[in-house]
Amino acid sequence: MLTKRIIPCLDVKDGRVVKGIQFVNIIDAGDPVELAQAYDEQGADELIFLDISASNERRNVIIGLVEQVAATLAIPFTVGGGINSLEDIKSVLRAGADKVSLNTAAVKNPDLITLGSEYFGSQCIVVAIDARYDENLGSWRVYTNGGQRSTDWEVIDWAKEAVKRGAGELLLTSMDRDGEKSGFHIELTKAVRDAVTVPVIASGGAGSAEHFHEVFAESDADAALAASIFHYKETSISAVKDHLRQQGVNVR
Amino acid sequence: MIGIVDYGMGNLHSVQNALRRLEIDHFLSEKKEELVEADALLLPGVGAFKDAMHALKKDGMDGFIVEAVQSGKPILGICLGMQLLFEESEENGLTEGLKLLPGRIVRLPGITSDNTTYKVPHMGWNRMLIQKPETPLLQNLSTDFVYFVHSYFVQTKDRDVLLATADYFEEVPAVVGRGHIFGAQFHPEKSSDAGMEILKNFGAYVERRQQGEAI
């Protein structure tokens, strides 16, 4: 049967891997090509490469960097950030990515999910959802533009809509937990996981190996993503997997 | 020298990247007159069966492949490229394949006989259960985990062609083949250690065959 996947995320800005706390206070965390190689060797099941400068500055992802990263990898590889059109999706896939992650553009123009999945197959269309709890809404609200702009979408409704349109996977980030290292948002992950039939990647809040066990055991997420704890070597992918194996979770 | 068949379907870069890293001689071509020079063919592919067969039929690439393989050229089909080796597929209406291996491509039902539902596509890392340990492609593997992404799978009555399977609610053929014909349902080029080892084994097999060893 399928294993639970551990996915390091490389947030890239101006050609460097960076990491912020709650989407701001960005600091440098290394060279993307070196980190990609290191994670592949450590046993990462997949890699996500997000050009976080892209949506704000309205420029395309750096195709050259994607090519370089892809050339070193023998694991699946997702690219997101500033992908606004079918042409953008095509150029990223041609540069060597296996999947694209759509966020702001998908909310602005949901047809992009439909067209993208019809042209390239659902398996390569990931819809990334940035979620923050909203007291007025009594639920989580979808944010775009790197977490800077609120939308009218409630998270569960948007998740269902994205899947209906052909999203093959959801990358669900809790903005409330992002960078806090207090654990994944179990309740949010479970709510989305129960609402859709495609794999859900839990993101935001990983601080220890046990947090990965929690999110798999309690929300049945299909994969879990982390950035800073891996970049700063607070734990390693192999340590996380050892822990999961001890807890009886099926990992590679 | 392995000739990668470029017929406009799928991610040729990752296969090429992998062969380059493994230092396996290869070239990419859409021309029969170039591919005829190859010692073996690699048939990649991502997308729909019908579109792929339609693309192969242009310029008679389908006939060329069948003839080359029947005259003894080894072939490795990957993912959709593996499915194309079979007789027919139910994807978007019944479509004939290359008929080099016996069987039909059908959709993963997404529900078991006892009404358990499961996700389609079968996407992620799963374990190969090796059925034919003597298969050249499956020698000296350091791990059996490989990366799958597919919604359709092979059904065949001829279990002899099942070299390795995977368990995903159904028995999913993972590596298939007969003689010098091979196919992998998963993506070796994305399957880390096991994937690289399988590609390396294919490269070595082609080389041995080229040097005239009886296989």
Side-chain angles (χ1 to χ4, degrees), chain A residues 1-3 40 45-46 70-76 94 97-99 123 169 193 197-199 222 251-252, chain B residues 11 13-14 17 21 46 119 121-127 145 147 149 167-169 189-193 196:
Chain A
M1 298 308 280
L2 292 176
T3 62
D40 187 4
D45 294 309
E46 204 165 318
T72 67
L73 281 185
I75 53 173
R94 278 198 78 88
D98 299 286
K99 311 177 194 179
Q123 82 287 341
E169 200 165 23
R193 176 69 178 69
T197 53
V198 302
D222 299 273
V251 289
R252 177 168 74 101
Chain B
N11 197 344
H13 286 292
S14 40
N17 279 333
R21 276 200 301 272
V46 174
K119 289 176 190 169
H122 171 216
M123 181 170 74
W125 294 86
N126 205 340
R127 203 163 223 154
F145 280 111
Y147 187 79
V149 188
D167 171 30
Y168 185 65
F169 300 92
E189 74 281 13
K190 290 290 163 186
S191 293
S192 196
D193 294 342
M196 294 307 107

Side-chain angles (χ1 to χ4, degrees), chain A residues 159-176:
Chain A
K160 285 183 181 163
E161 175 69 15
V163 171
K164 199 175 86 191
R165 286 178 172 273
E169 200 165 23
L170 299 178
L171 165 54
L172 178 65
T173 301
S174 163
M175 292 173 62
D176 303 303

